[in-house]
Amino acid sequence: MPNDFRFGVSLRTAESQAQVTDAARRAEDFGFGVINVPDHLGAPAPFPTLTAAATATSTLRVGTFVLNACFYKPALLARDVEALRDLSGGRLDLGLGAGYVREEFEAAELPFPGARERIAYLRHVTEHIKEHLTDVPILIAGNGDRLLTVAAETADIIGFTGGDHVDGDPLAERITFVRNAAGDRFSDLELNIAITAMPAVGEEMPNLSIPRHFLPGLPDEQLLRHPGVLSGSTTAIADRLRELRETYGISYFIVQAAHSEAFAKVIAELR
């Protein structure tokens, strides 16, 4: 049986406590289950921002999507995770990734290891958190074989990018890879995808600037077929999410804060 739908919203600006409080309460009222903050220099600091969101709400979970594991020492990260878990009343999902922006490592005065080393360190951090904070769900998001192997073996939630092309069915191939790597634990995993583009309220065509940035080689007609891009009416989008859940088992969807009002109508359609 597929998991129940779960919906998250990604908060990328936090200029004041009032702004964070308002965004969190709106997300909760709209029917979102999680508010997430990314981990990039120039973006809000995840832990204080999420603490403010948690204290302003009562049911909304808070999450990182995703922390750059290479920015942290495991024991120090575990201390912050434990504090946020406790301050949120256990409403924390910890998202982790291996980091990929060289310029951010350089700005932080940290070495930028190769992909193999970054993913090995992600495993190290994940295993430390799992050993010391057994009740905190861990999400790992990515696309490559090594990272998805770590996710399949250690995470509770796996975030898929939808693939970097649309020939064939790259999402199905990645999910099959995870299924094989996870073995018996696959049935306990929650599968996630981040929506990078969807129509504004009253429209049916999305702004493709974000997916175009990450997939510069694809023409618009192919971007519109990408699993992370939604188009059409509210009903058509709801049907598409049902299809993604029934076909691939994906039940957890995260949208950008700018899409939250439009996506709230989709949430209502699905309930």
Side-chain angles (χ1 to χ4, degrees), residues 125-142:
V125 171
T126 302
E127 290 176 346
H128 182 94
I129 298 294
K130 286 183 69 68
E131 178 183 354
H132 292 88
L133 296 165
T134 58
D135 59 341
V136 175
I138 292 178
L139 178 152
I140 293 179

Side-chain angles (χ1 to χ4, degrees), residues 195-198 206-218 223-224 226 228-229 259:
I195 304 300
T196 58
M198 69 169 289
N207 180 333
L208 295 175
S209 57
I210 294 177
R212 192 180 291 124
H213 172 76
F214 288 103
L215 300 168
L218 296 184
L223 288 175
L224 287 168
H226 190 274
V229 175
H259 302 148

Side-chain angles (χ1 to χ4, degrees), residues 174-258:
R174 293 288 77 192
I175 292 173
T176 298
F177 179 90
V178 166
R179 183 189 299 273
N180 293 335
D184 292 342
R185 70 189 305 269
F186 181 79
S187 60
D188 295 326
L189 298 177
E190 182 179 39
L191 307 186
N192 158 270
I193 198 163
I195 304 300
T196 58
M198 69 169 289
V201 174
E203 300 182 8
E204 294 195 359
M205 289 299 294
N207 180 333
L208 295 175
S209 57
I210 294 177
R212 192 180 291 124
H213 172 76
F214 288 103
L215 300 168
L218 296 184
D220 287 0
E221 60 269 21
Q222 289 185 314
L223 288 175
L224 287 168
R225 299 202 302 272
H226 190 274
V229 175
L230 301 175
S231 61
S233 66
T234 296
T235 298
I237 291 173
D239 288 342
R240 174 60 170 157
L241 298 188
R242 292 188 187 99
E243 178 188 11
L244 288 169
R245 185 175 68 167
E246 292 167 7
T247 303
Y248 303 101
I250 295 172
S251 58
Y252 176 23
F253 298 90
I254 296 173
V255 302
Q256 305 299 307

